[in-house]
Amino acid sequence: MIHDQRAEKFRQIVENKFQIYNSLFMSLPYDKMTNIGMLLPFLCEESKIGYEAGKTPEEIVEEFFKNHTDLQTEEQKTELLFKIIQYIERQVVLFDSIEDAAFPNLHSESDNGTVTNMYERSLQDHKLEKVREKLKDFAIKIVFTAHPTQFYPNSVQRILHDLRNAITTDSITNIDMLLQQLGKTPFVNKEKPTPIDEALSIIYYLRYVYYDTIGELFTKIKTTFENDHFHLHEDLIQLGFWPGGDRDGNPFVTAEVTKRVAEELHTAILKAYYNNLKSVRRRLSFRGVSEVLTKLSNELYSAIFRNEKITADDIIKRLEEAQKILVEQHNSLFLDQLVNFKDRVKIFGTHFATLDVRQDSRIHQKVIDEVFAKVFGTSDATQEEKFNKLIQVTEKVNPDDFEDIVKDTLLTVSQISEIQQLNGLRGMNRYIISNSDAVKDVMNVYAFFKVCGYQEDEINMDIVPLFETMEGLANAENVMNELYQNPVYKKHLEKRGNQQTIMLGFSDGTKDGGYLKANWEIYKAKEVLTKLSEQNGIKVVFFDGRGGPPARGGGKTHDFYASQGKTIANNKIELTIQGQTITSIFGNKEQAKYNFEQLLTAGVENDVFKNSKKELTEKERALIIELAEISYKKYSDLKAHPMFVPYLQEMSTLEYYGKTNIGSRPSKRGGGSELKFEDLRAIPFVGSWSQLKQNVPGFFGFGFAMQQLKEQGRFDEVRELYKGSDFFKTLVLNSMMSMNKTYFPLTYYIKNNPKFGAFWNVLFDEYNLSKNIMLELTGFKMLQEEDPLSRKSVKIREKIVLPLLSIQQYALMKIQKGEGDLEAYGKLVTRSLFGNINASRNSA
């Protein structure tokens, strides 16, 4: 019933509004764009009918030119196609804004997964004290990464923000003006952004979305759950930050960049406090209180503009001074405003978000080898000998004695204590190691601190291994077991409160092992590491490297975390968000608040509201293992297919990702000209399948595994698993989400391609198999039947971008044939990536 009401509401306030406001595009006063609004429906309709009839994108676009235009030259035709792409990009922005503005009307304060719902449920089940107990030391942390999946420049983001507000008030005049501004504003960065640009782009969100969102949410949870005996801790909701600190595969992130970003974060939070204090002072104009707050305002001003030092404790001391006078002399009038402000200072400190350092273990090894050779005049030593000798070095190594990456690594470690002095210990407190698969990977980082002159008690950093490949996940237990027993590391862990953060990478895991296998291996690794950590008296925290789409660990986040049972440590939920996910799921206050609540309640639910569907029985476990192995074999065979990499290289947009100027990081690892599977970065890899509308990494092998069991007469076992296990059910629903965003008719023409036809058929057959068997398993009549709002949203977005996909494929076909102006067609392909990725929202 609620589903039906919401679907109707969606029709009224999203679909209908889009139709109305979309008509404003028809009258935009731009040269050559006036008739595009009329031409576009023809291209859309011809695409839809043409693909279903098996026509090629080239045939569809050429027929469109012939039937609806009188264009003769290739130059005129490509110019029109560019204009159509620009038009569609702006339609996508309009739909985004309408859907975002509708968010509060489509979601209720008492929805599943909200704080209000959790409170009501805890009262009903007499579990209020258990919830309070859980909240005592539980936390959630969102870590913003610099991964390039955000195609909107900052200027467009700001228009989007204003457009959303204008749509909320249905101000036709403002909407019209903003659409005109949008028409004139470039959607493309002429040059790649620098890591500083990326950092400043996300700091904008910190200041104008998260400062208020987290502050207000903290107050809401506090007023809901606090009593005389229970007080909320300020670390309940935390923010992490990678732009400027993540140098894995990004040569443009240097020690200097890291320091500058730390300073920008510091200044941004002080500015947020300064503005917040203005509104507090407007109310607290009382004698005594006013003077103290004026003094604090001046101190903040000096810290921002004259670089005078101020700590979070300094600010809190002033606020407590003001609070004492307010309570004793002014009847606590407006006390809540002062307390809320003080809470924010406790939450954000002078760091705003914790800046992480990340680098690849192979780079670390190079640094260790060079430093050892320099200090001891030889390379002849085992890994263990190198480590043991280096940590005994008493004289600080001089970074200037080295070059390039070695010098920069040493400079980065050397300046950590300086950043901690500026931003507090919470400002930078962990070093993440990508591609960890051995003990030495962690110990190398410890050795860096020693050779950079840190004493044992001065290393205020967590060292975090990131296990991301199948091999890394398989080695995780042995690596952590050995680390926990290592006397040097054991001592370091004691100093860090016997807490160990372990990061697990979904993106590379899925790329490496396929969807089902990667999710199962990560689940299993978490179980094993939970048990091992408990045996060693270590509190383990899992940090999930998740992207937007299911193929990169995304999808229904609340369901994913709420489905993890008692066998997995639940001390904290920590995950990465990036690019589109920042803007589409956490992009405004209402959405951010809702999604932070969803994460928080998922973690509390796991411990407080017991559900047998979360605990896997031995029988269920054995069945998942069997399915995972079958699907892994199927996916591995696909990867080993001689056409796998050539298909992506020649038939998809893979080669064009690096030309979009959306991120500072190169789009592939390795410097060779020949493309190897292992060099593919997860984002362009998954994104390229998404552009082809095939989404292979989100389902391939999963349906095949279930079909195998069905053929053995064991499909009832799979049905029982789906009904009995929340974890398995979430995987199925997320995979169906991936399939709902596929559209194989777009590439029907490839089935006749002499080189790639057979390979395309392998993909298409597996899609059909997976779709049919999952519908049979769930009893649904259509994909995403259980989530009508998402389904409707996807349907409209896919319709908007269908003409854009036709143009993209048309240009790719011209390039493959070597026909016409290849440079212009290459630009068409690159440009078409933008609107399509933005429309898909979680496609990369």
Side-chain angles (χ1 to χ4, degrees):
M1 184 63 186
I2 290 172
H3 271 339
D4 292 344
Q5 287 169 357
R6 286 193 185 171
E8 176 56 21
K9 211 169 202 180
F10 186 92
R11 190 185 67 78
Q12 292 168 358
I13 62 176
V14 178
E15 289 182 62
N16 289 354
K17 274 191 183 183
F18 179 64
Q19 297 303 331
I20 294 163
Y21 296 146
N22 195 29
S23 65
L24 294 174
F25 276 110
M26 306 283 271
S27 55
L28 289 183
Y30 305 128
D31 56 330
K32 299 174 188 160
M33 280 188 86
T34 43
N35 67 335
I36 287 173
M38 293 180 229
L39 284 174
L40 196 52
F42 292 117
L43 182 55
C44 188
E45 194 58 27
E46 295 213 354
S47 295
K48 193 172 183 307
I49 293 166
Y51 289 131
E52 297 298 341
K55 286 183 181 174
T56 71
E58 192 176 12
E59 288 168 340
I60 288 165
V61 174
E62 291 293 3
E63 280 178 25
F64 163 74
F65 285 137
K66 189 177 149 194
N67 297 338
H68 304 287
T69 77
D70 53 7
L71 302 176
Q72 299 301 315
T73 69
E74 183 184 29
E75 193 181 346
Q76 289 173 327
K77 289 176 180 178
T78 52
E79 190 185 359
L80 176 65
L81 295 180
F82 272 114
K83 294 290 180 191
I84 290 174
I85 290 174
Q86 285 177 294
Y87 193 95
I88 292 170
E89 284 170 347
R90 285 151 179 79
Q91 281 188 312
V92 171
V93 171
L94 176 63
F95 187 75
D96 280 349
S97 302
I98 290 169
E99 195 170 32
D100 291 347
F103 189 88
N105 295 312
L106 294 169
H107 297 85
S108 148
E109 275 281 311
S110 55
D111 277 359
N112 269 347
T114 57
V115 167
T116 305
N117 177 270
M118 181 169 77
Y119 177 72
E120 286 166 358
R121 198 171 159 195
S122 65
L123 277 180
Q124 202 177 329
D125 295 3
H126 308 293
K127 288 188 173 169
L128 192 52
E129 282 311 310
K130 281 198 167 184
V131 171
R132 286 184 178 131
E133 192 61 35
K134 179 65 189 169
L135 288 173
K136 265 184 193 171
D137 66 347
F138 182 67
I140 57 169
K141 185 171 184 176
I142 289 291
V143 180
F144 301 97
T145 77
H147 292 327
T149 59
Q150 178 49 265
F151 282 70
Y152 294 139
N154 287 354
S155 51
V156 175
Q157 305 258 26
R158 290 183 173 106
I159 298 170
L160 223 147
H161 183 265
D162 295 341
L163 189 56
R164 191 187 298 126
N165 291 339
I167 288 164
T168 305
T169 56
D170 284 324
S171 170
I172 296 280
T173 311
N174 281 344
I175 293 164
D176 189 39
M177 291 300 290
L178 288 163
L179 290 180
Q180 289 188 48
Q181 184 189 355
L182 204 58
K184 288 282 190 187
T185 304
F187 268 49
V188 184
N189 295 316
K190 283 194 171 161
E191 294 172 358
K192 273 182 178 288
T194 66
I196 301 283
D197 295 332
E198 290 172 332
L200 291 173
S201 176
I202 296 176
I203 287 171
Y204 172 85
Y205 279 93
L206 294 183
R207 273 195 73 183
Y208 298 105
V209 178
Y210 302 109
Y211 180 74
D212 282 336
T213 300
I214 291 172
E216 288 166 17
L217 180 55
F218 186 83
T219 302
K220 179 184 176 182
I221 300 165
K222 198 174 159 182
T223 50
T224 307
F225 289 102
E226 273 196 356
N227 61 15
D228 293 342
H229 313 292
F230 169 70
H231 298 284
L232 220 52
H233 67 98
E234 60 269 15
D235 277 339
L236 181 70
I237 306 165
Q238 302 165 24
L239 298 176
F241 205 83
W242 276 16
D246 177 13
R247 59 248 306 128
D248 176 16
N250 193 340
F252 308 111
V253 177
T254 61
E256 192 184 338
V257 165
T258 302
K259 192 173 179 205
R260 165 88 191 277
V261 170
E263 288 164 357
E264 292 286 353
L265 284 163
H266 180 74
T267 305
I269 190 58
L270 295 185
K271 284 179 178 174
Y273 291 154
Y274 185 75
N275 286 336
N276 196 164
L277 186 56
K278 274 185 193 171
S279 59
V280 172
R281 286 171 65 204
R282 281 174 80 160
R283 296 285 81 84
L284 298 175
S285 50
F286 320 130
R287 183 170 285 122
V289 179
S290 177
E291 287 78 358
V292 173
L293 296 182
T294 301
K295 205 173 201 179
L296 175 57
S297 182
N298 293 336
E299 287 165 350
L300 284 168
Y301 185 89
S302 295
I304 295 164
F305 298 107
R306 297 190 195 113
N307 291 327
E308 289 181 16
K309 189 163 168 37
I310 193 167
T311 66
D313 286 343
D314 295 335
I315 303 170
I316 288 165
K317 210 172 279 180
R318 284 268 179 258
L319 294 174
E320 285 178 343
E321 200 183 321
Q323 188 173 339
K324 190 170 188 291
I325 300 167
L326 187 64
V327 172
E328 291 175 359
Q329 299 175 27
H330 303 288
N331 302 326
S332 301
L333 196 58
F334 298 122
L335 177 63
D336 58 331
Q337 291 205 20
L338 195 64
V339 170
N340 290 350
F341 181 37
K342 190 170 74 172
D343 282 342
R344 291 185 190 197
V345 179
K346 287 179 178 176
I347 292 165
F348 298 116
T350 51
H351 66 289
F352 218 153
T354 303
L355 183 58
D356 288 337
V357 179
R358 182 173 84 128
Q359 182 57 287
D360 191 285
S361 62
R362 292 162 292 193
I363 299 290
H364 291 154
Q365 193 56 55
K366 175 180 162 66
V367 177
I368 286 290
D369 292 344
E370 285 198 30
V371 170
F372 185 84
K374 186 86 171 176
V375 173
F376 296 102
T378 176
S379 317
D380 191 22
T382 66
Q383 197 51 46
E384 201 173 337
E385 285 167 349
K386 283 180 185 176
F387 172 77
N388 288 331
K389 281 189 175 182
L390 283 173
I391 64 169
Q392 300 302 324
V393 171
T394 50
E395 203 173 314
K396 185 180 172 183
V397 169
N398 183 359
D400 291 330
D401 290 344
F402 301 90
E403 290 179 3
D404 304 328
I405 195 79
V406 180
K407 178 181 178 177
D408 194 70
T409 302
L410 296 172
L411 283 172
T412 299
V413 174
S414 297
Q415 73 184 11
I416 285 171
S417 58
E418 204 182 322
I419 290 170
Q420 289 178 334
Q421 278 174 355
L422 178 72
N423 289 8
L425 290 178
R426 287 192 295 163
M428 179 175 277
N429 56 32
R430 62 186 187 183
Y431 198 122
I432 297 162
I433 309 144
S434 310
N435 275 305
S436 293
D437 51 21
V439 172
K440 69 176 174 60
D441 298 333
V442 173
M443 300 313 284
N444 281 347
V445 172
Y446 185 85
F448 292 156
F449 284 93
K450 298 296 287 181
V451 299
C452 288
Y454 289 79
Q455 299 303 311
E456 276 177 26
D457 60 344
E458 293 171 335
I459 306 175
N460 295 309
M461 292 285 280
D462 294 333
I463 303 173
V464 180
L466 163 53
F467 302 109
E468 45 194 333
T469 60
M470 287 298 109
E471 186 186 357
L473 287 165
N475 286 348
E477 182 181 9
N478 290 337
V479 170
M480 294 315 301
N481 189 33
E482 211 176 311
L483 275 172
Y484 289 157
Q485 306 309 319
N486 183 299
V488 175
Y489 192 72
K490 206 171 183 179
K491 201 171 176 187
H492 173 68
L493 266 185
E494 279 170 20
K495 190 178 165 298
R496 302 299 295 158
N498 278 326
Q499 180 169 303
Q500 174 69 54
T501 300
I502 299 172
M503 189 172 178
L504 301 154
F506 283 77
S507 301
D508 282 295
T510 305
K511 191 192 107 194
D512 199 31
Y515 177 70
L516 180 58
K517 174 76 169 173
N519 275 280
W520 175 243
E521 287 303 316
I522 288 169
Y523 187 95
K524 227 168 48 173
K526 283 185 177 180
E527 286 189 319
V528 165
L529 296 170
T530 297
K531 194 174 179 185
L532 178 68
S533 301
E534 281 172 3
Q535 286 166 354
N536 285 276
I538 304 295
K539 182 180 178 181
V540 69
V541 169
F542 294 116
F543 173 19
D544 292 330
R546 294 160 65 87
R552 293 187 47 243
K556 298 170 185 298
T557 310
H558 174 271
D559 293 351
F560 175 82
Y561 284 108
S563 73
Q564 300 194 0
K566 293 275 186 271
T567 51
I568 291 174
N570 184 31
N571 301 308
K572 187 177 185 178
I573 287 179
E574 184 167 356
L575 67 153
T576 54
I577 64 165
Q578 61 211 27
Q580 295 161 293
T581 321
I582 296 172
T583 48
S584 64
I585 297 182
F586 292 87
N588 60 55
K589 277 171 64 173
E590 291 82 11
Q591 284 174 304
K593 184 170 159 292
Y594 182 85
N595 285 298
F596 275 121
E597 286 188 52
Q598 293 283 315
L599 278 179
L600 183 75
T601 58
V604 174
E605 266 182 39
N606 259 337
D607 277 10
V608 176
F609 303 102
K610 288 187 175 67
N611 178 351
S612 60
K613 288 170 88 170
K614 290 173 189 171
E615 309 306 326
L616 290 169
T617 64
E618 283 308 312
K619 190 181 171 189
E620 287 171 339
R621 192 174 287 272
L623 193 59
I624 293 177
I625 291 169
E626 192 176 348
L627 288 166
E629 285 309 314
I630 298 168
S631 75
Y632 180 49
K633 171 78 171 67
K634 180 75 173 171
Y635 180 74
S636 298
D637 288 348
L638 182 74
K639 278 194 327 184
H641 196 292
M643 288 298 115
F644 188 91
V645 172
Y647 180 80
L648 277 178
Q649 220 169 351
E650 293 178 42
M651 307 306 282
S652 85
T653 56
L654 183 70
E655 302 276 302
Y656 297 87
Y657 261 79
K659 298 173 185 173
T660 54
N661 290 337
I662 52 157
S664 62
R665 177 193 303 262
S667 57
K668 79 178 187 72
R669 294 183 174 93
S673 56
E674 188 198 341
L675 186 66
K676 300 187 188 77
F677 179 81
E678 52 275 18
D679 291 337
L680 290 173
R681 285 197 171 280
I683 290 169
F685 174 72
V686 172
S688 296
W689 287 115
S690 167
Q691 294 279 327
L692 277 167
K693 287 294 160 197
Q694 292 176 352
N695 288 330
V696 165
F699 67 85
F700 199 91
F702 199 173
F704 177 80
M706 291 194 276
Q707 180 65 27
Q708 291 293 99
L709 264 68
K710 186 182 176 183
E711 285 172 11
Q712 294 170 26
R714 298 170 58 199
F715 198 56
D716 282 348
E717 291 177 42
V718 183
R719 276 204 185 92
E720 287 306 310
L721 179 63
Y722 176 78
K723 285 178 193 162
S725 162
D726 282 349
F727 169 70
F728 186 73
K729 182 177 184 177
T730 302
L731 292 187
V732 170
L733 295 179
N734 274 341
S735 191
M736 290 173 93
M737 182 198 294
S738 282
M739 286 192 282
N740 198 34
K741 292 185 177 183
T742 62
Y743 184 65
F744 268 89
L746 178 71
T747 53
Y748 273 168
Y749 73 96
I750 301 177
K751 70 168 92 170
N752 301 318
N753 183 300
K755 184 174 179 182
F756 295 114
F759 182 76
W760 184 91
N761 276 303
V762 170
L763 306 178
F764 186 51
D765 291 347
E766 178 63 15
Y767 164 75
N768 284 324
L769 173 70
S770 297
K771 179 184 171 184
N772 292 336
I773 201 153
M774 285 190 196
L775 289 175
E776 186 181 347
L777 175 69
T778 56
F780 295 165
K781 291 182 175 60
M782 64 185 86
L783 295 169
Q784 277 197 291
E785 186 179 303
E786 86 296 352
D787 190 354
L789 294 193
S790 290
R791 194 178 71 246
K792 276 175 171 286
S793 176
V794 168
K795 193 176 177 185
I796 296 167
R797 288 171 181 280
E798 299 294 303
K799 187 180 176 186
I800 293 170
V801 296
L802 186 61
L804 186 143
L805 291 167
S806 293
I807 294 169
Q808 185 183 89
Q809 286 291 319
Y810 169 75
L812 280 170
M813 289 182 81
K814 288 287 189 187
I815 292 164
Q816 285 152 17
K817 288 179 174 181
E819 282 179 10
D821 185 346
L822 299 181
E823 190 185 347
Y825 289 126
K827 284 179 181 170
L828 270 176
V829 174
T830 303
R831 189 58 193 267
S832 64
L833 289 165
F834 292 67
N836 190 24
I837 283 231
N838 286 329
S840 299
R841 285 212 147 173
N842 70 350
S843 65

